[in-house]
Amino acid sequence: MSALYAWLSRHPRLVDGVPAFWLALIGVPSVIGAPVDGFRPGTRVLMLLIVAALAIPVVFRRKYPVQGFTIAAVAGALQLIVFPQP
């Protein structure tokens, strides 16, 4: 068991990449399937950038916790401002 913990501590970005991957995996299909009637042409691109800005900081959260939180918080606020509907 200690060998597993040692491996996990030696590979923090890989370990944190797993939840980041799942966040992106959940977010991208909701963007692709979202109705964008009445939105401008670049709406899906902006939605994908927001999903990326919410998922990618998870990978770097151990080395840069404040910056990762700031990026995710700004992306979440932007999502609420630009796309207020569920």
Side-chain angles (χ1 to χ4, degrees):
M1 189 58 107
S2 64
L4 175 65
Y5 288 134
W7 186 88
L8 291 173
S9 66
R10 284 192 312 266
H11 300 90
R13 287 198 182 133
L14 181 64
V15 171
D16 290 342
V18 173
F21 171 76
W22 285 109
L23 285 171
L25 193 66
I26 291 168
V28 170
S30 65
V31 169
I32 293 172
V36 290
D37 299 335
F39 286 130
R40 290 187 224 132
T43 302
R44 286 197 198 275
V45 174
L46 179 60
M47 292 168 82
L48 286 172
L49 288 174
I50 290 173
V51 168
L54 289 170
I56 291 173
V58 173
V59 176
F60 301 101
R61 70 184 175 90
R62 293 180 200 225
K63 190 167 184 177
Y64 307 105
V66 173
Q67 293 87 345
F69 173 79
T70 303
I71 291 170
V74 168
L78 180 65
Q79 181 181 15
L80 288 174
I81 291 168
V82 177
F83 307 110
Q85 72 278 2

